[in-house]
Amino acid sequence: MQILNSYIKATNTHDFKQVKKLLHPNAVYFFSDQTCTCHEEIQQYFENAWSIVKNENYEAHDVEWLDKKESSATCIYTYFYEGYINDEYICGKGRATNIFVKESDKWLLIHEHLSPISK
């Protein structure tokens, strides 16, 4: 679905205004170290990550749509990121779950859960 691609593209702008356009007002994020339950908390988390990982590039690999309905869709994927911390190249990956809902003919992200890959 195009909404996931739009979300990844917005994330890679490093401009939270672009991400926020795709967020449901009640969006909740589960990160491995924090839960964000409002746009302000989500914005702080994103902007902090962008300030630490310079020139970050975020990608979704092996996307699997578990459920697609008229007004909701759920996908899982392996996320991949790369960038620079203190001028040193870093990269990593983990697992992601995204839930989108359609309201007023617009798809919005209502939930994201990111976690490390189990060893």
Side-chain angles (χ1 to χ4, degrees), residues 20-34:
K20 187 175 179 179
K21 291 177 186 177
L22 301 174
L23 296 184
H24 188 277
N26 298 326
V28 174
Y29 277 62
F30 291 168
F31 297 107
S32 57
D33 62 342
Q34 185 176 339

Side-chain angles (χ1 to χ4, degrees), residues 1-7 10 18-25 27 65 67-75 98-111:
M1 291 182 63
Q2 182 57 38
I3 182 58
L4 179 61
N5 293 332
S6 297
Y7 175 67
Q18 301 306 312
V19 175
K20 187 175 179 179
K21 291 177 186 177
L22 301 174
L23 296 184
H24 188 277
W65 289 95
D67 188 47
K68 288 193 244 182
K69 295 189 174 131
E70 191 174 313
S71 61
S72 66
T74 302
C75 68
N98 287 63
I99 301 172
F100 299 93
V101 292
K102 191 174 187 182
E103 291 190 355
S104 303
D105 290 329
K106 183 174 181 181
W107 286 99
L108 300 170
L109 179 70
I110 195 164
H111 179 65

Side-chain angles (χ1 to χ4, degrees), residues 4 7-8 11 28-36 42 45-46 49 56 58-61 75-81 93-99 109 111-118:
L4 179 61
Y7 175 67
I8 299 296
T11 299
V28 174
Y29 277 62
F30 291 168
F31 297 107
S32 57
D33 62 342
Q34 185 176 339
T35 297
C36 298
I42 297 166
Y45 198 94
F46 270 70
E56 182 190 24
Y58 184 83
E59 299 175 4
H61 296 213
C75 68
I76 57 174
Y77 57 91
T78 300
Y79 69 82
F80 171 80
Y81 67 90
K93 62 183 178 178
R95 298 178 301 179
T97 302
N98 287 63
I99 301 172
L109 179 70
H111 179 65
E112 179 166 272
H113 186 167
L114 303 178
S115 62
I117 294 177
S118 302

